[in-house]
Structure formats: C-alpha cells, structure tokens
Amino acid sequence: MTTVSRRTTTTAGAGGGGAPRDAVLSFVGGQATVGTSGMTFPQGLSERSWERIGSGLRELTNSSAWWLGDWLVYGETTYGARRYREAVERTGLDYQTLRNYAWVARRFEHHRRRDSLSFAHHAEVTSLPPAEQDHWLREADRLKWSRNELRRALRAGAAPAAGGDTHRRASRTGAPGATVEPHGEVATLTIELSAGQLDHYSQAAAAHGLPVEQWVTRMLDAVDRRTA
C-alpha cells in the first residue's frame, strides 16, 4: 500500500501565521516537486522513475476511494446520516459519489478486499452475495482482468471456475444496495429525487440501520405485499 508522508513549509503572513506549501509522497521522493495544485518534474527524469510515479499515483487513487468509503461509514455509524451533508462540504464530492464509496466499503470487510484489484473491480460486484463477490474477484485476480473485462464477464453471466465448471450468477442489479432474489429476470429501476427528498429518505433509512437504496427496496416490497 502506498505510504503518504508530508513535508510542510510555511510562508509568513499576518500575525506570523503560515500555510502548508507542498507535500512529498513517498513514491515521488526527490524526483519531482508536489504541490496542492500540481506536480513539476526535473529535466532528465528517467522513464523508469516516471513509470514508478505513475504506478504510485494509481495506487494512491485506488486507496483514497477505500479511505473515503471507510471514513463515511464510520461517520454515518457514529454520528448519523446527517453527516453526509457535512461530508459533501468537506470533500467537495457529490452526494452520489460519496454514497457509492460508502456502499462498496460497507459491503467488503477489510480482510475480503484484494489489494491486487482496484476499488472499481470491487464496485462491479458489490450487489452480489458475498460468496459470489469472492468468486468473481478471485477470477478477476487469477485471469488478470481489467475492470471492463470483469464487467463483460458479469454480463455474460458465467466464468470458468476450478475444475472447469462454470459459475452462473443468480442475479445482479446496477443499483447499489438493491437486494434481488433469484426469482426471475432482474431489472434496474432509476428514481429521480429532489435533494430534499433524498435527504429525508436517507434519514429514514439510517433510522432502520440501512443504506437508502436498500431501504427503498424494502419499502417497495412492503407495498407489493399489501396490494397482493
């Protein structure tokens, strides 16, 4: 995992205060200068060094998605769903992006996350039962699938398993949090909500200890049972 270290310098300001000027990432070292708004490279940087920096940035980007997800899950569990509004302000990311990060983090305990695969790989199988998640991620790792290759395999519905057998998924939906039993063809329902409605439903879902997507699914199931 990428280690991030920080070197802080200050500039004099009113009252003698200062502000962070730049940060040094461990995989960059002295090969480039890293600042808040960019990275500059010296003349003569070797291609190998350039490649190593790119690999480190990729790992950092992947790790940051997990970090944000875990941070959000902790905040929601400890302080309640209202913390999502604060999270949006703190990170500058939109609500749905943060919800997706948290949903994936919640669905994968730390010991089930594969460092050899990206956060995006895990996100592709999030809506599946844990045993199927593990199967597909194991196949993606073994066969060195990209995220897009894993997605195509999921859409095809079968992947080679140990002993030459095939493993077919029972169900899958593109909506995070929707749990669908294998009782027929699966469809994805998209619902447009205002910001106020989404905030209201998120609070109602949190009161039941559920992500908003899963809470909505349960409410629809309850209506179906009452009208049957």
Side-chain angles (χ1 to χ4, degrees), residues 37 81 173 184 204 218:
S37 58
T173 176
R218 290 196 179 185

Side-chain angles (χ1 to χ4, degrees), residues 146-170:
S146 68
R147 188 277 306 274
N148 288 340
E149 288 171 328
L150 172 58
R151 178 179 293 178
R152 286 194 292 270
L154 284 165
R155 287 175 177 171
D165 295 331
T166 57
H167 179 94
R168 185 166 297 276
R169 60 195 170 98

Side-chain angles (χ1 to χ4, degrees), residues 10 12 27-28 30 40 45 47 55 61-62 79 90-91 109-110 127-128 136 138 141 150 154 168 185-186 206-207 218:
T10 59
F27 58 85
V28 175
T40 57
L45 179 70
E47 185 174 0
S55 296
T61 299
N62 184 61
Y79 312 117
R90 293 288 181 181
T91 64
E109 302 89 344
H110 283 254
S127 62
L128 297 175
W136 287 103
R138 185 167 58 249
D141 195 3
L150 172 58
L154 284 165
R168 185 166 297 276
E185 187 175 347
V186 177
R218 290 196 179 185

Side-chain angles (χ1 to χ4, degrees), residues 12-166:
R21 285 286 303 277
D22 63 348
V24 176
L25 308 179
S26 63
F27 58 85
V28 175
Q31 299 173 101
T33 301
V34 181
T36 302
S37 58
M39 182 182 293
T40 57
F41 302 90
Q43 292 294 324
L45 179 70
S46 71
E47 185 174 0
R48 179 59 179 160
S49 295
W50 177 80
E51 291 172 349
R52 281 198 298 267
I53 291 173
S55 296
L57 290 171
R58 178 194 62 198
E59 188 175 339
L60 180 62
T61 299
N62 184 61
S63 296
S64 67
W66 286 118
W67 296 339
L68 279 166
D70 289 336
W71 174 70
L72 287 160
V73 170
Y74 178 85
E76 184 176 33
T77 302
T78 307
Y79 312 117
R82 63 184 179 81
R83 300 308 294 174
Y84 268 94
R85 183 173 298 173
E86 178 72 15
V88 169
E89 294 177 1
R90 293 288 181 181
T91 64
L93 298 173
D94 65 83
Y95 179 88
Q96 190 56 51
T97 296
L98 293 173
R99 289 293 302 181
N100 290 342
Y101 286 161
W103 173 245
V104 177
R106 188 182 289 107
R107 292 279 284 163
F108 286 95
E109 302 89 344
H110 283 254
H111 70 275
R112 294 181 55 235
R113 301 174 186 178
R114 290 177 175 261
D115 290 347
S116 54
L117 297 176
S118 70
F119 182 88
H121 281 88
H122 292 76
E124 286 295 323
V125 300
T126 300
S127 62
L128 297 175
E132 291 189 44
Q133 291 174 350
D134 293 339
H135 168 80
W136 287 103
L137 292 179
R138 185 167 58 249
E139 290 299 300
D141 195 3
R142 182 176 70 85
L143 298 172
K144 307 302 180 186
W145 282 340
S146 68
R147 188 277 306 274
N148 288 340
E149 288 171 328
L150 172 58
R151 178 179 293 178
R152 286 194 292 270
L154 284 165
R155 287 175 177 171
D165 295 331
T166 57

